[in-house]
Amino acid sequence: MSHQYTIALAGNPNAGKTSVFNALTGARQHVGNYPGVTVEYKEGLTQHQGQSVQVVDLPGTYSLTAYSPEELVARNYLIGRRPDVVVDVVDASNLERNLYLAVQLMELGVPLVICLNMVDVAKTRGLKIDADKLSRLFGVPVVSTVARQNQGMSELLAAAVELAESEPEWHPLNISYGSDVDQGVDEVADILQGAQERHGLLSARWLAVKCLEGDQEVIERVRETPELAEKLLPVCERVAGHIKSTMDDDPDSIIADYRYGYITGITRQVVTSEREVRMDLSDKLDQVLTHRLLGPLLLFAVLYGIYNFVFWASEVPVVVLENFFGWLGGAVEGALPPGVLRSLIVSGIIGGVGGVLGFAPLIAFMFFAIAIMEDSGYMARVAYIMDRVLRIFGLHGNSVMALMVGGGLSGGCAVPGVMATRTLKDPKARLATILTVPFMNCGAKLPVYSLLIAAFFAHRQAEMLFLLTLISWGLGLGAAKLLRVTLLRGEQAPFVMELPPYRAPTMKGLVIHTWERTWQYAKKAGTMILGVSVLMWAAMSFPGLPQEQDAAWQKRIDAASTASARLELKSGRAQDELAGTVAGRAGRALTAITAPLGFDWRANVALVGGFAAKEVIVSTLGVAYSLGEVDPEHSQSLSQRLAAEPAWNSLKAFALIIFVMVYAPCLATVVMIRKETGTWRWALFSVAYNTLIAYLLALAVFQGGRALGLG
Amino acid sequence: MTPEVTLRQLRPGQRAVVKKVGTGGELGRRMREMGLLPGTEIQVIGRAPLRDPVEIKLRGYNLTLRNNEADFITVEIGEAL
Ligand SMILES: Nc1nc2c(ncn2[C@@H]2O[C@H](COP(=O)(O)OP(=O)(O)OP(=O)(O)O)[C@@H](O)[C@H]2O)c(=O)[nH]1
Ligand SMILES: [Mg+2]
């Protein structure tokens, strides 16, 4: 798409960038992904007086250091792509801290427009901000806006386009960091001046400041030119050492002090406070919502409420979708002649993709609930309340949401659970959380549990489910701790986090959030899942029975006198068929390994199939135990069959439950882990880690139980 | 004479002025970019149910940090609320 100008939206998290973006572009957007990191950016188009303008929503940052992936992404975008204009969305009710980024943008020198957003909030807090004066003092256009009510948007766009039309140069702002630091900066900048052409259009002074701040990214770049590095780095070290000895502080903290000094010098002239608000409504709400006793109770009530809401609201749409795919399968079955093609389309494609898409409403509602928690500001409080507990296991307060979504209350899905870890900034805690999510009891494991519980623990159904929830949390947190003291060992990243004020979410915001995430989930069904379900279908269909065996079965079926006898024979054939397929053979081969757990080849086939989706376990067991296709919702007869089977007992069933709870996450989850961690390594690790733990646990349960004379 | 204590020792409602941020590295940088610098006025809003982390107000917004992070911040207690 061609466009005349590009406007990049920068700003602190929660300042209203996305609201501005949506107001400008009408949310006709394209969600992209920065390579290497799972930070997303959005691009959209808008019109201004017949010119088409591209708007880019950058990730929210507090600063332009190279401290977090968001910051790095935002900075590299600004430097690498050089948008025509940068609009810094500033929260007017929180001006000082927001201007810290604005000043850094000016130091970098980008053509800047300040969008003074949330002036309505500032007003209710009794703050009066003189936008014209701010504009004069900073020397950049300032436009007051209320993004969530579309106020000031055309003025903002006009100001940005006007600036872009003047084809502005980059004008780095020079502010003084005190004579000692300034001297050091000059010294370093002089050396860089000589090598200027290497740095494109970045000013030598900016680079010098970054070197003194100890900015790893910039220093790395300097190192790429060994002659320069040789001259420069010792000087940096000497200057930094000198500053440290004379001022008793690091250069970067002195620089930050002066930046804030510069900002307060300006805000003092621009902001007048009509009254001093000590405790606003948001603080009062916090007194209740994070109260020592009420806080946790309310949190539990909210999570429980969400869980119930999601399942209640999605019940009908899920059934509708399931019926639709059932109908579609039936229609295709009727339209095509029996054979491989029909089986491929019905079982492989429609069955596989439908299984994933059928869950989409549930996932959409879960995301809707999460969006409410996020947009209202409550999510940050959940992290605040839970942090002390989760920290023990090397996780973070924010991990709790991912674990809940992943099935912490039993029922849920690990795919959005893994996605929900995006709110975690600490990379190691995030990775640990991602690898913990698959331990939760997702909705697909529940049919397996209910089957086995009905067969062997029928008198204790509710207690068993509750016990399994506890076990999954215990195992998940234990596994997280294990990772955090081994592979993911390391200092915890700083927690220091903003608690945004409580706000009423807007419907538009909620819908957009929900849609974006649900779409990502659904998109997968059309690509990865499609391929894999076809593969699984093939593994469970080929090679078919040899011609003469099939003919023999057919003859017996034809000869059967009653309908029930015919059905029995058909199941017999299905079982025979399955045993001969690739999956069946794999199941047999695996018995050498799984025998100590008490699993026979039938259980193995089901577990192999369950790797595609855990729901498959029940249906495969059904085939293997010669019942024909078993509907996971109505596994009554299968559970009776298992209970009657002499080779099965409650100990074996419990070992299988534990194994199913813990072993390899389903394929969709593995793909999502790959996507969110950026490498196959962690995705494959999670398969191995979970399967190993599952094996050891099931072994301990089965052999331990036998030693105790159980089962 | 106002006593100098660390942020951890403040009670909810108490106000204070930051005297020193005694840490560098990532934590120090993070605190600085959030505006937690010497001279900044802060007020403790509350503590999480397990008494950790702590919620404070500064520069008109709310920030939370863990107790072991608050230990690095020396403050001078001002008037109580
Ligand atoms: N009262 C008021 N609320 C606003 C205004 N602009 C945005 N909001 C609300 O502020 C919250 C945050 O807005 P977002 O647009 O998501 O902020 P963001 O900068 O994109 O945040 P991140 O993506 O987290 O960096 C939302 O609840 C908005 O509805 C405004 O001008 N006035
Ligand atoms: Mg946003």
Side-chain angles (χ1 to χ4, degrees):
Chain A
M1 269 181 278
S2 76
H3 45 83
Q4 253 147 326
Y5 300 116
T6 300
I7 298 175
L9 297 175
N12 283 188
N14 257 299
K17 291 174 303 301
T18 303
S19 305
V20 171
F21 176 87
N22 290 339
L24 286 178
T25 63
R28 285 182 302 271
Q29 40 158 286
H30 159 80
V31 179
N33 222 322
Y34 291 100
V37 273
T38 51
V39 181
E40 289 179 338
Y41 68 94
K42 283 179 272 176
E43 289 173 347
L45 284 176
T46 186
Q47 297 284 324
H48 181 74
Q49 298 182 341
Q51 303 171 72
S52 122
V53 179
Q54 186 186 39
V55 187
V56 180
D57 189 9
L58 292 176
T61 64
Y62 293 106
S63 180
L64 276 190
T65 54
Y67 162 71
S68 72
E70 287 84 1
E71 286 174 359
L72 206 55
V73 159
R75 194 170 88 181
N76 288 344
Y77 182 91
L78 296 176
I79 294 172
R81 308 253 192 113
R82 292 181 78 89
D84 297 293
V85 172
V86 177
V87 170
D88 181 13
V89 180
V90 164
D91 174 358
S93 69
N94 186 358
L95 198 59
E96 275 177 27
R97 202 205 61 215
N98 273 259
L99 289 181
Y100 188 65
L101 178 69
V103 165
Q104 291 180 68
L105 288 168
M106 288 188 266
E107 290 182 75
L108 179 60
V110 298
L112 190 70
V113 172
I114 288 183
C115 165
L116 195 60
N117 194 33
M118 306 218 189
V119 287
D120 56 331
V121 182
K123 207 163 155 193
T124 59
R125 293 214 192 142
L127 298 170
K128 256 175 70 180
I129 298 166
D130 188 340
D132 292 335
K133 197 159 186 185
L134 183 64
S135 170
R136 252 180 294 126
L137 290 172
F138 270 156
V140 303
V142 176
V143 183
S144 300
T145 63
V146 182
R148 87 190 251 167
Q149 280 151 32
N150 282 359
Q151 279 173 33
M153 288 302 125
S154 47
E155 290 87 344
L156 179 67
L157 189 58
V161 170
E162 192 186 333
L163 182 60
E165 277 170 341
S166 71
E167 293 184 12
E169 303 266 306
W170 282 37
H171 281 303
L173 168 76
N174 290 350
I175 57 176
S176 167
Y177 309 119
S179 55
D180 286 277
V181 179
D182 284 347
Q183 255 173 34
V185 169
D186 287 343
E187 204 176 322
V188 177
D190 279 344
I191 300 175
L192 282 161
Q193 203 79 49
Q196 186 63 46
E197 70 283 3
R198 306 204 69 91
H199 309 112
L201 299 140
L202 292 171
S203 84
R205 187 180 150 89
W206 187 81
L207 289 167
V209 172
K210 288 293 146 192
C211 285
L212 288 183
E213 280 182 327
D215 188 297
Q216 283 312 313
E217 167 98 348
V218 170
I219 290 174
E220 234 16 82
R221 276 223 240 154
V222 168
R223 286 227 172 88
E224 283 168 17
T225 330
E227 321 87 73
L228 180 62
E230 226 167 87
K231 264 201 294 184
L232 191 75
L233 298 180
V235 175
C236 288
E237 238 162 75
R238 180 170 52 74
V239 169
H242 174 71
I243 292 168
K244 199 163 164 54
S245 64
T246 51
M247 319 263 301
D248 188 30
D249 218 341
D250 296 325
D252 57 334
S253 79
I254 295 168
I255 291 171
D257 274 355
Y258 273 90
R259 276 194 194 122
Y260 262 107
Y262 176 74
I263 292 165
T264 33
I266 285 176
T267 51
R268 217 171 279 141
Q269 302 178 58
V270 174
V271 185
T272 39
S273 182
E274 283 165 352
R275 56 174 189 277
E276 203 186 357
V277 192
R278 286 196 163 180
M279 278 270 180
D280 55 24
L281 183 65
S282 195
D283 295 331
K284 287 182 189 135
L285 264 173
D286 260 350
Q287 305 292 318
V288 179
L289 292 175
T290 66
H291 182 267
R292 178 134 215 216
L293 297 172
L294 280 178
L297 280 177
L298 286 169
L299 170 59
F300 188 79
V302 166
L303 293 175
Y304 188 72
I306 286 181
Y307 171 70
N308 276 311
F309 160 76
V310 166
F311 279 88
W312 167 80
S314 60
E315 196 178 335
V316 172
V318 165
V319 169
V320 168
L321 269 182
E322 268 173 5
N323 287 346
F324 168 73
F325 284 110
W327 167 84
L328 192 66
V332 172
E333 195 148 11
L336 290 176
V340 173
L341 182 67
R342 185 173 90 175
S343 164
L344 168 68
I345 294 177
V346 174
S347 314
I349 297 175
I350 298 178
V353 172
V356 174
L357 280 188
F359 268 118
L362 196 136
I363 292 205
F365 279 107
M366 187 60 94
F367 283 143
F368 188 74
I370 293 173
I372 294 178
M373 304 220 345
E374 272 177 353
D375 291 7
S376 64
Y378 186 62
M379 187 73 99
R381 272 69 183 187
V382 177
Y384 173 69
I385 292 172
M386 291 302 295
D387 181 68
R388 189 68 198 89
V389 177
L390 292 172
R391 198 192 315 163
I392 298 170
F393 302 97
L395 299 178
H396 184 282
N398 273 331
S399 306
V400 76
M401 202 60 218
L403 296 177
M404 303 301 313
V405 174
L409 283 168
S410 73
C413 179
V415 172
V418 169
M419 280 200 259
T421 60
R422 285 193 190 159
T423 47
L424 285 156
K425 299 293 177 242
D426 175 352
K428 282 184 179 162
R430 174 160 187 253
L431 203 45
T433 309
I434 287 178
L435 296 172
T436 305
V437 168
F439 283 83
M440 300 292 113
N441 291 327
C442 73
K445 293 177 192 168
L446 294 184
V448 188
Y449 297 166
S450 21
L451 168 75
L452 293 170
I453 290 174
F456 298 100
F457 308 94
H459 47 295
R460 289 259 162 80
Q461 301 216 9
E463 290 96 322
M464 271 304 283
L465 261 181
F466 185 66
L467 180 69
L468 293 180
T469 305
L470 291 184
I471 292 176
S472 75
W473 274 91
L475 293 177
L477 293 178
K481 183 73 190 171
L482 183 61
L483 285 170
R484 289 295 265 146
V485 297
T486 55
L487 288 177
L488 298 176
R489 189 176 27 202
E491 291 258 315
Q492 297 198 335
F495 179 70
V496 184
M497 177 176 85
E498 181 179 5
L499 289 176
Y502 291 102
R503 273 192 250 273
T506 60
M507 202 57 191
K508 187 173 158 190
L510 295 179
V511 168
I512 290 173
H513 270 152
T514 307
W515 168 249
E516 280 172 6
R517 291 175 175 166
T518 309
W519 175 237
Q520 287 191 325
Y521 170 83
K523 221 165 42 180
K524 211 176 57 250
T527 53
M528 190 68 201
I529 299 297
L530 176 64
V532 171
S533 51
V534 168
L535 251 162
M536 282 311 299
W537 164 83
M540 291 176 67
S541 313
F542 296 109
L545 282 178
Q547 203 106 55
E548 54 293 4
Q549 271 187 47
D550 194 48
W553 274 109
Q554 196 58 45
K555 233 164 86 188
R556 286 173 63 192
I557 289 167
D558 291 341
S561 49
T562 63
S564 71
R566 204 169 305 137
L567 214 57
E568 184 110 337
L569 285 166
K570 274 189 176 166
S571 320
R573 176 172 66 176
Q575 187 184 0
D576 219 17
E577 258 171 7
L578 181 62
T581 62
V582 173
R585 284 162 209 232
R588 283 183 197 284
L590 283 172
T591 43
I593 304 171
T594 60
L597 314 183
F599 304 165
D600 63 359
W601 77 270
R602 297 173 171 96
N604 292 344
V605 182
L607 290 172
V608 170
F611 179 57
K614 302 269 151 98
E615 294 93 333
V616 172
I617 296 175
V618 172
S619 57
T620 313
L621 275 178
V623 177
Y625 278 97
S626 60
L627 282 158
E629 288 282 322
V630 171
D631 178 353
E633 307 284 315
H634 305 97
S635 50
Q636 204 60 35
S637 50
L638 178 57
S639 76
Q640 283 162 5
R641 178 82 167 76
L642 288 181
E645 188 78 19
W648 280 81
N649 56 46
S650 53
L651 183 63
K652 189 170 159 179
F654 192 66
L656 184 61
I657 287 177
I658 295 293
F659 193 86
V660 168
M661 178 189 289
V662 179
Y663 91 113
C666 71
L667 220 108
T669 308
V670 174
V671 172
M672 195 37 89
I673 295 177
R674 151 79 184 83
K675 190 163 174 255
E676 293 295 312
T677 59
T679 92
W680 278 110
R681 217 178 57 219
W682 286 113
L684 296 176
F685 173 81
S686 130
V687 172
Y689 185 60
N690 280 52
T691 309
L692 183 69
I693 294 180
Y695 186 84
L696 295 176
L697 285 171
L699 187 69
V701 167
F702 190 65
Q703 296 300 341
R706 279 232 298 221
L708 293 174
L710 301 169
Chain B
M1 270 280 89
T2 41
E4 285 200 0
V5 295
T6 69
L7 173 52
R8 188 202 278 258
Q9 287 151 293
L10 295 185
R11 287 186 308 277
Q14 254 180 338
R15 307 180 129 219
V17 175
V18 176
K19 284 284 132 193
K20 189 169 177 237
V21 179
T23 176
E26 246 175 56
L27 180 60
R29 197 174 320 149
R30 181 91 181 136
M31 286 177 174
R32 278 196 295 281
E33 71 184 29
M34 300 306 277
L36 200 55
L37 311 166
T40 311
E41 272 183 53
I42 60 168
Q43 181 187 6
V44 175
I45 298 295
R47 289 204 152 74
L50 292 170
R51 293 285 170 264
D52 184 17
V54 57
E55 178 182 3
I56 63 173
K57 196 184 249 319
L58 71 154
R59 299 181 192 268
Y61 82 99
N62 295 27
L63 185 77
T64 169
L65 60 166
R66 291 174 176 163
N67 279 343
N68 58 11
E69 295 166 341
D71 282 339
F72 291 109
I73 296 173
T74 317
V75 299
E76 196 176 82
I77 298 176
E79 29 145 5
L81 191 76

